[in-house]
Amino acid sequence: MDFNVKKLASDAGVFFSRAMQFTEEKLGQAEKTELDAHFENLLARADSTKNWTEKILRQTEVLLQPNPSARVEEFLYEKLDRKVPSRVTNGELLAQYMTEAANDFGPGTPYGKTLIKVGETQRRLGAAERDFIHSASINFLTPLRNFLEGDWRTISKERRILQNRRLDLDACKARLKKAKAAEAKAAAEHELRLTQTEFDRQAEVTRLLLEGISSTHVNHLRCLHEFVESQTNYYAQCYQYMLDLQKQLGSSKGEIFSGTFVGNAESTSPPAAATSPPAVAAATLPAVPTIPVVPTIVGVPNTVAESVLNPNEVKPPASGTRKARVLYDYEAADSTELALLADEMITVYSLPGMDPDWLIGERGNQKGKVPVTYLELLS
């Protein structure tokens, strides 16, 4: 193998000269060419951009994939330039378990039906999460990663070259000061002019790259807007899915518990001739997703039962009333219930012996039973 001895010796000399200059600068024994204030501000801004971009990138990856083992696996696949295997989301896995449980318990049973409904919603939530992660990775993480692995590496390389050019320049200045003979001074001046030209050229190249950080900020700003938009769409989808599920469970819940309580009432109620008028009225109510209160308080004096069934005749307790916001519209099934409109504010309270799934609601002079699942209880 042939070696260029002269080039090797020259490179070694340059390296030794730079090392000496750097050491003397650190010890305060040599002068250092300072960059102008604007250039220093550009350097500081670039370093700040790099550091915060790294932190935002890492934390966004944690947000999208909380499992550290999965993140390491995805990183290795990326470095090996291989496609990351498709991974089931937690929501989709939960949906699978719920569906299998429903089939085991019986899809026609109340519990099985509810498991299927909740499982289907979890599956939709998992699919929405998958779409959000995919969108955020492409529109937000990829640009940040491209900056760190592309533009920033180029900037770092040119900065190192500029640092070497500055060390060479200051070393030439030191040699010029030490030169005594005219011939040595002339050679040192010639070398200084060449080194100064190289330094100025490299400083201009580095300056242009650093000024490009402003364009990087503009690009990252656009990506940030896209990230927020995709995140907003994701949470809006999740909210709508859960609202739909809550409505389904609210109606089926009334049917399930209504059937249960009616069965209990038939086995424990007295003969028809001895049945009180309020109980007869409750027994003749149509099958709606509301819960008759009388069967839940068997054995309680009739005065309490009548007050529950006739909310207009009861008075709110001295304490214990709360404000509530209505989540969505509710149509009263009979005169004992209060119709609701989405987003309106009402006052609610509970009475002794009432089913915990129902409250007494008041709106002005109107009063009636309201389902808890349709309310957001406030302070």
Side-chain angles (χ1 to χ4, degrees), residues 238-254 289 324-332 337-346 357-358 363 369-377:
C238 294
Y239 178 71
Q240 187 60 50
Y241 293 158
M242 295 309 298
L243 274 184
D244 295 342
L245 176 62
Q246 191 177 39
K247 289 181 180 179
Q248 295 178 38
L249 296 184
S251 59
S252 62
K253 184 178 182 181
R325 184 176 70 86
V326 179
L327 297 176
Y328 34 81
D329 297 346
Y330 176 75
E331 183 177 352
E337 298 181 2
L338 180 66
L340 303 175
L341 295 176
D343 295 327
E344 71 172 329
M345 301 294 294
I346 62 174
D357 293 326
W358 293 81
R363 184 201 307 111
K369 296 185 301 179
V370 293
V372 175
T373 55
Y374 282 64
L375 303 176
E376 177 186 1
L377 298 179

Side-chain angles (χ1 to χ4, degrees), residues 77-92:
Y77 272 99
E78 181 182 348
K79 291 303 179 183
L80 296 174
D81 196 20
R82 296 178 59 184
K83 183 179 179 180
V84 179
S86 179
R87 183 178 287 107
V88 178
T89 63
N90 292 328
E92 292 171 327

Side-chain angles (χ1 to χ4, degrees), residues 4 7 78 102 167 220 241 244 255 266 276 288 290 312 371:
N4 190 329
K7 184 178 184 304
E78 181 182 348
L167 292 172
H220 288 181
Y241 293 158
D244 295 342
E255 295 172 359
E266 290 177 353
S276 62
V288 293
T290 58
N312 291 326

